[in-house]
């Protein structure tokens, strides 16, 4: 995974972390649609410029046929995040390191450690990949299917996703026990 992808995942996780309940669900849905559109357009989301956003709005209106209120809501989500990251600047990278250059994985690691320390979280060897690991293992622990986790994590090979499955030795999830429980239920 490239450093740009790590930065994007960290930015998405940090942004969604501010919301709870239904607001978080709607925000996550809106953000997923934009990220999927960017992927189809071969556009890195944090590199989007005004013309890209205008193309996205037209796509929401003409292809997805969303109502104007839905388009407005969906657009207000990728806008608040970008406005917050950009501040009063009108050029340059959206996420910057301490010197004002594009944030790389080292700067992302330093930022994550700073945020963790501010929140009172003390962990040795903290790095951005821990966010990805937590994302994957939490989905697996919540019972999300391996295939759905694989898709969400963008793993090409399901064996990569299976390496994250720390609960794979849990007998409750073993295929034989699942089959026995199904047969015992009489359905």
């Amino acid at each position: 995974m490239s450093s740009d992808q790590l930065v994007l995942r960290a930015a998405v996780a940090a942004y969604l972390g501010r919301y709870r309940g239904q607001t978080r669900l709607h925000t996550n849905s809106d953000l997923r649609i934009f990220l999927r559109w960017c992927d189809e357009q071969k556009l890195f989301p944090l590199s989007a410029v005004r013309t890209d956003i205008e193309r996205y709005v037209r796509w929401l209106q003409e292809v997805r046929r969303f109502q104007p209120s839905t388009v407005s809501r969906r657009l207000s989500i990728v806008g608040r995040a970008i406005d917050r990251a950009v501040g009063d600047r009108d050029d340059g990278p959206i996420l910057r390191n301490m010197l004002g250059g594009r944030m790389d994985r080292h700067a992302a690691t330093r930022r994550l450690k700073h945020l963790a320390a501010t929140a009172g979280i003390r962990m040795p060897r903290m790095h951005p990949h821990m966010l990805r690991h937590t994302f994957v293992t939490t989905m697996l622990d919540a019972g999300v299917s391996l295939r759905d986790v694989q898709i969400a994590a963008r793993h090409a090979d399901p064996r990569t996703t299976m390496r994250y499955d720390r609960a794979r030795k849990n007998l409750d999830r073993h295929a034989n026990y699942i089959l026995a429980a199904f047969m015992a239920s009489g359905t």
Side-chain angles (χ1 to χ4, degrees), residues 92-106:
I94 293 175
L95 298 177
R96 302 183 306 174
N97 61 22
M98 294 297 287
L99 301 174
R102 183 176 302 278
M103 184 181 283
D104 62 7
R105 67 186 177 96
H106 302 293

Side-chain angles (χ1 to χ4, degrees), residues 32-124:
R32 262 195 336 245
I33 288 174
F34 175 69
L35 295 175
R36 190 176 312 126
W37 179 85
C38 287
D39 189 52
E40 290 169 0
Q41 302 298 312
K42 307 286 189 258
L43 170 68
F44 183 61
L46 300 179
S47 298
V49 295
R50 182 183 182 97
T51 55
D52 298 318
I53 302 304
E54 289 170 353
R55 287 186 314 122
Y56 175 63
V57 169
R58 277 197 312 279
W59 179 80
L60 289 173
Q61 294 168 332
E62 297 169 7
V63 176
R64 294 296 299 264
R65 302 225 182 264
F66 286 131
Q67 296 295 317
S69 60
T70 304
V71 171
S72 177
R73 191 198 75 211
R74 289 194 185 273
L75 191 59
S76 70
I77 297 301
V78 174
R80 288 195 304 261
I82 291 172
D83 287 345
R84 200 173 161 130
V86 170
D88 59 356
R89 294 181 289 122
D90 57 4
D91 66 351
I94 293 175
L95 298 177
R96 302 183 306 174
N97 61 22
M98 294 297 287
L99 301 174
R102 183 176 302 278
M103 184 181 283
D104 62 7
R105 67 186 177 96
H106 302 293
T109 299
R110 287 190 299 273
R111 182 70 179 144
L112 178 62
K113 287 180 179 182
H114 174 76
L115 291 170
T118 302
I121 299 169
R122 304 279 184 258
M123 290 186 71

Side-chain angles (χ1 to χ4, degrees), residues 140 146 155 157-166 168:
L140 290 168
L146 185 66
H155 289 152
D157 189 333
R159 291 175 294 190
T160 304
T161 311
M162 289 171 26
R163 278 189 239 139
Y164 286 88
D165 192 1
R166 64 179 173 210
R168 65 186 171 277

Side-chain angles (χ1 to χ4, degrees), residues 3-23:
S3 61
D4 280 346
Q5 290 170 324
L6 285 174
V7 169
L8 176 62
R9 288 187 186 272
V12 167
Y15 186 73
L16 289 175
R18 302 178 336 177
Y19 298 102
R20 300 279 178 260
Q22 290 297 317
T23 303

